[in-house]
Each structure stands twice: as structure tokens, then as C-alpha cells.
Amino acid sequence: LSLQVRRNNRLATVGQIAAGTAHEIRNPLTAIKGFLQVIGHKLKENGQQKEHGYIDIMLKEISRISNLVGEFLMLSKPRPTDLRAISVSKVLKEILPIIKNEALLHNVDVVIERRLSSIPLVIADGEMLKQVFLNLCKNAIEAMNKGGRLTISMYTDEAEQTMAVEIADEGPGIPGHILEKVFQPFFTTKENGTGLGLPICRQILHEIGGEIEVDSDEQGTVAKVTLPLVSSRVYADS
Ligand code: ADP
Ligand code: MG
């Protein structure tokens, strides 16, 4: 047991150092990016196409590092989990402008289906839940590069005392041999992907007592998030 505790403590420390380091990587990156842009402009003005192309590649690679570090910081959990009774509809409403904006850029329609008779409350951390839905909607939109419909549907399972939120797209779907790997950290099929979106979703949901499943066929992909409902009795008491 004491070995276990020691090991856990060491892991926590390593996590803190890693998070601190990640943070420190961002500032110099911002400076590098700024100066590269200046050099890029100069090269363009001088008609140095090839060199300008190199700068473009460097800027793309920098944004990859920056995305990676950003998602890594998320994973290392900068603050404690704040579990409360919250409304999923409200959480979604708060991030809808971001999703709609992203969707508009990619020619995607967003449809929300509330298959609910009342507004159920779930036990979750609102900020973390936002992160989950944003990641899933981002994947859905990225899967539809020729446009399509993103459907977010909500329903409750009274018997299980859970609420489900499904995020469905009309993308090409995920082949079986890839589907097996989508929750592996750093697994990505995208040129600018980090492969951390789904692992972060899974980690967050495990932390708040929820679950995530991804189902896919040639018609598209559905990510289903399940969250524990605040039971009506607890709700009446509080
Ligand atoms: P990233 O989006 O950075 O690649 P994720 O962890 O979010 O990382 O996703 C991992 C991989 O799972 C993606 O690269 C993609 O291959 C696959 N994937 C996830 N969501 C979808 C989706 N809605 N449609 C098709 N493929 C998906
Ligand atoms: Mg993603």
C-alpha cells in the first residue's frame, strides 16, 4: 500500500511538472510565431516564394505544438472537479454560438433535438462538460468537410437514472480497425490532429461518473455521452 501511495505521489508531481512545462512552452511559442509572421511578410514582399513557403510550414507546425500543449494542459486538470446539479440544456446553450460559428465555416447545419418532457438535471462539472461537447462537435464538423447535418439529441433513461446526449454527424464514418483506436492518446488520422480530444472526453466523463461510446457506420458517426441524473427524490430534497 505504501509503495502504491508513494508511486501515486510521484505521478502527481510528474504531472505538475509536466503541466508547468507545458505552460512555459506557450509563451516562447507566441514570440516565435509573431516574428515568423513578420519575416513571412518581408519574404512575400520580396517575391521569395519558396522561403515564404517554409515560413508557412513553420507556422503550421507551431500551431500544432500549441494545440497539443493546450489539450495537454486540459488533460493535466488545472483545477479540482466541481460536481453540481446542472442542466445540460443550459450548458449546451452556452457553447452553441461557438459550435454554430464553426459549423457555418464548414457548411454544416446544427439541429438540436430535445426528446424530453421536462428539463432534467445531471450531476457534472459544467466547465468540463463544455469541453466534452466542444470536442465531440468539433470532431463531427471536421468529419463533414463537404457539409452536412450535426444533430445533438438529448433524452433520459428513467430506469437507468441517466441522461444521454448524442452527437451525430453525416460524415464518412470510422472503419472498424480505426474505431478500436480512437480513445488511444495521440491516435489521430488528421494532418493537424492531436489525438487527445476523445481521450480527454473519456477521462472527464469517468471523473464525473459518466460514460462515452462511439458508434459508426457509412452513414456517419454517433458519439453518445451518458450522465447520471439527479434523482427526483434528491432534487425534491435540495
Ligand atoms: P483528433 O480530432 O485530434 O484527431 P480525437 O481524439 O478527437 O483526435 O479523435 C481521434 C480520431 O478519431 C480522429 O483522428 C478520427 O480518425 C476519429 N474520429 C473521431 N471522431 C470522428 C467522427 N465524428 N467521424 C470520423 N472520425 C472520427
Ligand atoms: Mg478531435
Side-chain angles (χ1 to χ4, degrees), residues 179-185 187 195 198-199 201-202 212-214:
L179 192 56
E180 281 171 14
K181 297 187 191 152
V182 295
F183 286 104
Q184 286 176 14
F187 174 81
L198 288 175
C201 289
R202 176 179 265 182
I212 178 166
E213 261 172 55
V214 177

Side-chain angles (χ1 to χ4, degrees), residues 71 134-136 138-140 142 187-188 190 193-199:
E71 296 203 328
L134 280 174
N135 276 335
L136 298 177
K138 196 164 159 251
N139 279 345
E142 284 166 355
F187 174 81
T188 182
K190 298 170 192 170
T194 62
L196 286 175
L198 288 175

Side-chain angles (χ1 to χ4, degrees), residues 29-224:
L29 274 185
T30 310
I32 295 172
K33 191 174 156 189
F35 288 123
L36 277 178
Q37 279 165 342
V38 174
I39 296 172
H41 282 308
K42 282 264 146 62
L43 291 172
K44 204 173 180 181
E45 274 172 21
N46 295 346
Q48 289 174 267
Q49 283 307 330
K50 203 167 96 190
E51 287 78 3
H52 182 252
Y54 295 154
I55 302 282
D56 257 0
I57 295 171
M58 289 165 84
L59 285 170
K60 278 209 189 84
E61 294 298 310
I62 286 176
S63 74
R64 248 166 70 126
I65 299 175
S66 172
N67 284 345
L68 199 65
V69 170
E71 296 203 328
F72 178 81
L73 279 173
M74 209 71 73
L75 202 58
S76 63
K77 198 158 79 93
R79 61 179 188 81
T81 313
D82 180 19
L83 291 180
R84 289 160 193 261
I86 56 170
S87 147
V88 172
S89 298
K90 207 171 140 216
V91 167
L92 276 174
K93 210 180 266 170
E94 283 174 24
I95 55 170
L96 207 56
I98 305 172
I99 297 169
K100 283 205 164 144
N101 185 52
E102 194 69 18
L104 193 69
L105 290 173
H106 292 84
N107 224 355
V108 167
D109 285 328
V110 183
V111 178
I112 298 192
E113 282 179 7
R114 285 187 184 79
R115 287 179 259 153
L116 306 163
S117 47
S118 63
I119 298 173
L121 297 179
V122 297
I123 303 169
D125 178 313
E127 289 306 311
M128 288 183 166
L129 213 50
K130 278 184 199 170
Q131 197 56 49
V132 168
F133 294 141
L134 280 174
N135 276 335
L136 298 177
C137 290
K138 196 164 159 251
N139 279 345
I141 293 168
E142 284 166 355
M144 297 187 281
N145 53 12
K146 293 194 185 74
R149 179 182 298 175
L150 162 63
T151 310
I152 305 173
S153 39
M154 291 175 252
Y155 53 97
T156 54
D157 182 333
E158 299 296 338
E160 294 287 330
Q161 281 295 300
T162 57
M163 173 171 187
V165 182
E166 290 187 356
I167 290 158
D169 65 57
E170 298 177 332
I174 311 173
H177 68 285
I178 288 183
L179 192 56
E180 281 171 14
K181 297 187 191 152
V182 295
F183 286 104
Q184 286 176 14
F186 304 112
F187 174 81
T188 182
T189 56
K190 298 170 192 170
E191 203 183 336
N192 281 312
T194 62
L196 286 175
L198 288 175
I200 287 173
C201 289
R202 176 179 265 182
Q203 173 176 312
I204 289 176
L205 288 164
H206 280 183
E207 213 157 295
I208 64 184
E211 272 171 47
I212 178 166
E213 261 172 55
V214 177
D215 270 317
S216 192
D217 60 28
E218 297 86 55
Q219 323 304 329
T221 301
V222 181
K224 178 178 175 184

